[in-house]
Amino acid sequence: ERHPTQVSLSLSGACDGEIRVWNLRTRTTIGNVPNAHDGFIRGLTCNSDGDKFLSCGDDKLIKIWRMPTDIDRDRSEQIHKPIATFLGETAFTGISHQRYTD
């Protein structure tokens, strides 16, 4: 998932439940969430301001996370806790955030 305001930022999710925030310009990870979900990350999206991102996975959870703020850092910031977690009845296969502009 690409960042809505920073062209050089992108999100990736893995089958082991890890999420990474990438600075594509420097080809470095600027943030990571180890064990964000139990199992596959199925969806990632940023909110319209770009200060938060949402994730969903096989564990039936949707989580909201804070985006790292220093995009030019030289080491990865570990993100430990979600801002909020929502439990669904079944596993999610994707997530989307509708960006609204006036």
Side-chain angles (χ1 to χ4, degrees), residues 31-98:
N32 72 311
V33 188
N35 304 310
H37 290 272
D38 291 331
F40 282 82
I41 303 291
R42 296 293 180 179
L44 291 165
T45 191
C46 294
N47 70 335
S48 57
D49 294 332
D51 61 343
K52 297 176 191 72
F53 63 92
L54 291 84
S55 65
C56 68
D58 286 346
D59 56 5
K60 303 179 186 177
L61 297 174
I62 294 176
K63 296 182 180 184
I64 302 174
W65 308 89
R66 262 187 230 298
M67 184 71 74
T69 54
D70 184 3
I71 65 167
D72 292 317
R73 68 185 316 121
D74 60 354
R75 62 183 175 82
S76 183
E77 174 184 336
Q78 194 162 3
I79 304 164
H80 296 284
K81 290 187 176 182
I83 297 169
T85 302
F86 305 94
L87 176 62
E89 291 183 20
T90 59
F92 295 96
T93 58
I95 192 167
S96 175
H97 177 76
Q98 303 300 317

Side-chain angles (χ1 to χ4, degrees), residues 18-37:
E18 181 178 21
I19 297 171
R20 290 189 180 202
V21 183
W22 294 91
N23 182 330
L24 300 176
R25 184 175 42 81
T26 61
R27 298 180 183 175
T28 57
T29 303
I30 62 165
N32 72 311
V33 188
N35 304 310
H37 290 272

